[in-house]
Amino acid sequence: MADDPEEGMLSWDESVFRNEHVFEIDYVPETFKHRESQTQNLTYALRPAVRGSRPLNVMVRGPPGTGKTTAIQKLFDEVGTQTSDVRTIRVNCQVNSTRYSVFSRLFEGTFDYEPPSSGISFKKLFGQIAEKLVEDDRVLVVALDDINYLFYENEASDTLYSLLRAHEEYPGAKIGVIVVSSDPTLEVIDELDSRVQSVFRPEEVYFPVYGQPEIVDILAERVERGFRDGVISRDTLERVADRTAESGDLRVGIDLLRRAGLNAEMRGSRTVEMRDVEQAYEKSKYISLSRSLSELSDTEQSLLEVIANNDGGQAGEVYETFHEETELGYTRYSEIVNKLDQLGLIDADYADIEGRGRSRSLSLSYEKDAVLDRLE
């Protein structure tokens, strides 16, 4: 007769997880806690749309991992249950970072198929979306999530201008815009062209960083839905919450729970211990770094690699190395430096260099090895 497996050890077909999807980045929680006033303000702005009028435009701001995307997904779901006369489309500007690709996404959301790949002009693309809205007598609400990426590519003003002036070219087109920025240093309104500023006067909704008790509360609910009973103790959960509070990003905590669970399974354990959390934190603390890197083009990645290998080097020297590798000119180089700086991947600081006047020194915002490992 086979021995019972050791108490506290998993047999190979068991898992500490009840539902691992609960710890994934695109999971929308059933209950959305500690964001009542923000949800209320967003609902207020969209109420006219449900009555068939143009909604109020909204600017949503707050650091990463503070519930902005979830709030919008919840709101859009709710509008969908109330009426079929409002079409809601969320655009991820990390992926769609030009005006044309934003409108391709809106076309897809309007017609349920992608625009012809042979490429149609922007004017035609836009015209078809607007005409369909008027024909169906529907209101369109567009959320430009992570609009900071449109700013990094200098596409934000054109995109917003087209959306906000649609009714002038297509009478009867009703479009409301929610812009979402997770870059605390970006002054959205100030950075827009004056022609956009004159028509864009949004309601503002701010999402602050969650406090430690709120983090414990939110993560405890994920634990309940995602892990089996008794997998993680209150003390261990508090440690996860502390680590999350240090980063200010709730996604770090959610990722940390998932990785700690996988670490426990790797040990064959039925419970998640402190050591699983500490080991997982070495990876989870870089979640925003990994996400930023995955969205960079090959050229942007190669410049970051050059900067990593010349950490703290002068911009001129870095450019020479970059130019040798890519044959790209100084203008493109300068644009990429600014983008990497805005993304918080590097610090580009001006300093007075003896005999050379003012020069920019470029240094990484993360540990060199963490960046190079993830670029591989």
Side-chain angles (χ1 to χ4, degrees), residues 224-244:
E224 200 176 309
R225 291 178 190 278
F227 283 135
R228 296 187 183 283
D229 294 345
V231 163
I232 188 166
S233 71
R234 184 71 184 187
D235 283 353
T236 312
L237 179 62
E238 296 267 358
R239 171 68 60 90
V240 173
D242 289 342
R243 289 301 200 184
T244 309

Side-chain angles (χ1 to χ4, degrees), residues 93-106:
C93 298
Q94 265 193 342
V95 178
N96 304 105
S97 60
T98 65
R99 178 176 72 160
Y100 192 89
S101 68
V102 166
F103 276 84
S104 298
R105 173 75 193 87
L106 298 180

